[in-house]
Amino acid sequence: MGMPSWLENIVFYEIYPQTFLDTDGDGIGNIQGIIRKLDYIKNLGCDGIWLNPCFASPFYDAGYDVADYKKVAPRYGTNEDLKELFRKAHEKGMKVLLDLVPGHTSTDHEWFRESCKAEKNEYTDRYVWTDDIWDDFKDVGSITGSIRGFSDRNGCCAVNFFSVQPALNFGFARCDKEWQQPMDAPGPMATREAMKDVMRFWMSMGCDGFRVDMAGSLVKNDDDQEGTIALWQDFRKFMDEEFPECALLSEWGEPGRSLRGGFHMDFLLHFGPSHYLDLFRVEEPYFSRRGKGDISEFVKTYEENYAATNREGLICIPSGNHDMVRIKETLDDEEIKIAFAFLLSVPGAPFIYYGDEIGMKYLSGIKSVEGGFNRTGSRSPMQWDHSANAGFSSCKPEELYIQIDPDEDRPTAEDALAGKNSLYDEVKKLIAVRKEHQALQNTAPMEFVYVKESAYPLVYKRTGKDETIYIVLNPSGQDVECDAQIPQHAQSVYSNNGEAAYADGKWKVPAASATFLKGKRGSKTSGFCRFYYVIRYYSVMF
């Protein structure tokens, strides 16, 4: 089956539940807080929510160490609260994705406690164990370490990330030792069915699908990932049969593999080969007005990934997430507007990290909370207004889950909603333009028209059923010109900080600007690409 139709034109908003809105005064956000702010999210134009893990956990890794997959963590509320979130979101025409962590659990999970027992039982093979305490996991694919010496069972248990996250057993694509079980062994198959049961539980309650954590790491010793692809094809078959309107999105970073595995969409990651960081988070980002960035390697890799998806446009490029520094760390609000013109005009479902729409800052050097370490600075409480704790919580400041940005001039949603020409306004406008034009939506084809190493502008086109829209982006602080292949009489449907215009045989592109130009399919274009800088510098607010 194909993907659910609602994925074709949805824009997601990522919520870190701990720090979105606290309604009971304990300093930690909760599900009722999310329900209270559904209208805020909908007003922005987002009609989907990705909710980071909200299940019972000891919270050594902020909930990515699950202790009970079928129970909402009490600090967030109850299963009934989550069911209410699904229901009220649906009433507003919104979808909710949960964060599924299938590769590992917490050491507090009942499955793991049973697996640790020396006596063989139902859960003995639920995790990846060696058969001797002295036999470790050196050079075993997709295993990062081990824990041992803590139980009666003789052996080491594999971990996926932190030492409190024992790896679930989905089998080995290549078995080099006796303790390594093939994917179709009883233990790995039981793990697979247990995870389907977890997914079934939440989808039956109203969940619209899952963003899957570390999706490419489940099968071990899987060098070409063919085993992991086959595993997810089985999960997708299960979903198509029982929940065909639910979506499956992967944290994998290799769309050619993840989509073949049955995922509807894949995230580009901030690590690995994607060159995602070249856009916003290097010393000289492409979207900086300094104009010293280079997007060419990103485009090259993107085109390779895009071709591997059969040009279906199913690659998600997020504004940020809970694992990377905020976009505001390297770009100011005006630069972020141009960055959002890119993020909201490329294929795949856009994902906006909470607070990015108002320009929230990364808090450098603050105390690590629940395994966040340097990531903690991107997880600070949402800044709603100018009341105590920025409107996030009524608790004492020292009781906050993570400290609030101490800057008295910190941005707030209240100011963004009241102001004109705010970052929030621009994001809202861009989402509206995207939703109005099928050519800009999630599955419409994309083609780069002009890209050059260490140069500006960037030009690409999106082709819809009845129209083609050309996106012309010049993040640099200089006017540029380009003889791009754009219909000469194309009309602007969106612009920020001036419009690209055709004159004297060239497209003239103002400094720090974004223009979306609509041309009819088959219209005459203006020739081949040639690029050079105009010497004049634009005066743009820094």
Side-chain angles (χ1 to χ4, degrees):
M1 294 183 65
M3 73 177 186
S5 60
W6 56 264
L7 269 181
E8 295 180 3
N9 189 25
I10 195 165
V11 178
F12 284 99
Y13 190 85
E14 178 189 350
I15 293 178
Y16 197 67
Q18 294 93 314
T19 50
F20 194 60
L21 182 65
D22 168 24
T23 61
D24 58 14
D26 66 355
I28 300 176
N30 50 40
I31 292 171
Q32 286 299 323
I34 298 169
I35 292 172
R36 187 177 297 182
K37 292 297 183 179
L38 284 175
D39 285 339
Y40 168 84
I41 299 167
K42 184 70 173 179
N43 183 64
L44 179 62
C46 296
D47 39 13
I49 291 172
W50 162 26
L51 187 61
N52 290 128
C54 58
F55 310 122
S57 168
F59 293 103
Y60 291 115
D61 187 21
Y64 282 91
D65 48 332
V66 177
D68 188 339
Y69 285 106
K70 294 183 179 180
K71 180 181 178 182
V72 168
R75 72 187 197 181
Y76 300 137
T78 65
N79 286 14
E80 285 302 311
D81 288 323
L82 189 52
K83 188 175 182 179
E84 181 184 355
L85 172 60
F86 298 149
R87 184 177 71 253
K88 292 192 172 178
H90 293 162
E91 289 172 359
K92 298 178 185 295
M94 303 171 75
K95 303 291 186 180
V96 181
L97 298 183
L98 294 182
D99 208 325
L100 183 69
V101 188
H104 52 261
T105 70
S106 161
T107 51
D108 285 7
H109 201 293
E110 180 185 3
W111 296 348
F112 185 69
R113 290 197 297 266
E114 291 297 313
S115 183
C116 288
K117 292 180 178 178
E119 302 80 17
K120 191 168 181 63
N121 61 64
E122 178 184 353
Y123 301 99
T124 297
D125 295 326
R126 183 60 53 88
Y127 297 82
V128 180
W129 288 84
T130 67
D131 55 12
D132 188 89
I133 191 69
W134 311 116
D135 193 1
D136 208 339
F137 295 97
K138 184 179 180 181
D139 300 325
V140 177
S142 294
I143 295 176
T144 60
S146 67
I147 45 177
R148 57 184 169 182
F150 56 90
S151 70
D152 294 335
R153 179 172 179 169
N154 183 21
C156 299
C157 186
V159 298
N160 273 349
F161 192 48
F162 291 154
S163 59
V164 292
Q165 294 168 317
L168 286 165
N169 181 19
F170 291 92
F172 285 69
R174 184 188 71 253
C175 298
D176 298 327
K177 296 188 177 184
E178 189 174 340
W179 54 264
Q180 296 175 358
Q181 300 177 349
M183 292 175 59
D184 59 357
M189 292 303 293
T191 304
R192 187 185 303 198
E193 293 307 310
M195 198 54 59
K196 288 179 185 177
D197 187 52
V198 169
M199 298 167 73
R200 184 181 292 113
F201 179 83
W202 292 112
M203 289 187 289
S204 297
M205 193 179 289
C207 165
D208 297 294
F210 301 92
R211 174 269 189 188
V212 179
D213 182 66
M214 296 177 64
S217 69
L218 269 58
V219 177
K220 309 307 183 185
N221 271 354
D222 191 16
D223 297 337
D224 58 7
Q225 295 196 300
E226 289 300 317
T228 306
I229 289 169
L231 174 75
W232 283 111
Q233 287 172 341
D234 182 54
F235 276 100
R236 173 65 184 275
K237 182 175 182 289
F238 145 69
M239 289 183 66
D240 283 348
E241 290 173 353
E242 297 189 28
F243 302 93
E245 286 303 306
C246 288
L248 201 58
L249 281 69
S250 62
E251 183 195 37
W252 195 317
E254 296 182 75
R257 287 174 167 169
S258 60
L259 269 65
R260 190 154 58 87
F263 284 94
H264 295 107
M265 293 189 182
D266 187 25
F267 281 87
L268 282 193
L269 303 177
H270 57 288
F271 53 88
S274 73
H275 287 275
Y276 167 88
L277 296 179
D278 295 356
L279 303 173
F280 320 119
R281 290 173 173 83
V282 291
E283 186 174 346
E284 293 292 348
Y286 184 76
F287 283 89
S288 165
R289 275 191 302 277
R290 291 188 296 274
K292 298 179 180 180
D294 181 15
I295 202 171
S296 61
E297 288 299 318
F298 168 85
V299 170
K300 179 182 177 182
T301 306
Y302 184 92
E303 286 187 314
E304 291 172 354
N305 283 324
Y306 193 36
T309 70
N310 295 319
R311 305 189 71 78
E312 292 184 4
L314 302 172
I315 304 171
C316 305
I317 309 176
S319 71
N321 65 31
H322 56 289
D323 282 337
M324 64 177 94
V325 298
R326 283 192 178 270
I327 194 170
K328 188 65 173 283
E329 179 74 355
T330 48
L331 303 178
D332 64 27
D333 282 4
E334 295 304 311
E335 292 168 326
I336 295 173
K337 289 179 183 179
I338 307 302
F340 267 112
F342 170 78
L343 290 165
L344 291 167
S345 64
V346 292
F351 278 77
I352 299 172
Y353 185 46
Y354 83 97
D356 280 355
E357 76 279 8
I358 62 171
M360 278 180 57
K361 295 186 299 184
Y362 173 73
L363 305 187
S364 179
I366 66 174
K367 179 183 177 182
S368 175
V369 176
E370 293 184 353
F373 300 101
N374 64 310
R375 303 173 297 176
T376 305
S378 294
R379 303 174 178 183
S380 59
M382 179 65 179
Q383 295 153 199
W384 293 108
D385 55 39
H386 293 281
S387 64
N389 297 321
F392 164 71
S393 174
S394 62
C395 73
K396 297 177 181 178
E398 61 271 19
E399 295 173 345
L400 288 169
Y401 171 78
I402 293 173
Q403 72 173 70
I404 291 277
D405 180 356
D407 188 346
E408 292 182 0
D409 294 326
R410 62 194 172 217
T412 67
E414 179 183 43
D415 290 344
L417 289 166
K420 294 182 179 179
N421 198 34
S422 68
L423 174 56
Y424 175 94
D425 287 336
E426 207 63 39
V427 173
K428 182 176 180 178
K429 185 188 303 181
L430 281 159
I431 294 174
V433 171
R434 183 184 181 97
K435 288 187 173 293
E436 289 167 6
H437 294 275
Q438 189 270 333
L440 293 174
Q441 293 168 17
N442 301 357
T443 59
M446 175 189 192
E447 181 182 343
F448 288 98
V449 174
Y450 178 73
V451 184
K452 193 170 183 179
E453 184 177 347
S454 301
Y456 298 81
L458 172 69
V459 183
Y460 50 94
K461 68 178 181 180
R462 304 287 310 281
T463 304
K465 296 174 182 176
D466 302 310
E467 65 181 4
T468 296
I469 295 181
Y470 296 80
I471 293 87
V472 184
L473 304 177
N474 177 24
S476 77
Q478 306 173 22
D479 288 1
V480 296
E481 294 181 353
C482 175
D483 290 343
Q485 293 181 337
I486 303 173
Q488 296 176 15
H489 301 293
Q491 299 295 309
S492 173
V493 296
Y494 167 84
S495 65
N496 180 26
N497 204 33
E499 291 185 1
Y502 186 72
D504 302 324
K506 305 174 184 68
W507 282 95
K508 299 179 183 294
V509 189
S513 70
T515 310
F516 297 177
L517 297 162
K518 177 182 176 180
K520 293 181 180 179
R521 297 189 66 173
S523 299
K524 179 182 178 183
T525 58
S526 59
F528 63 92
C529 285
R530 185 174 72 249
F531 166 91
Y532 59 90
Y533 282 106
V534 176
I535 303 300
R536 183 170 63 88
Y537 282 76
Y538 231 59
S539 174
V540 185
M541 179 176 61
F542 280 81

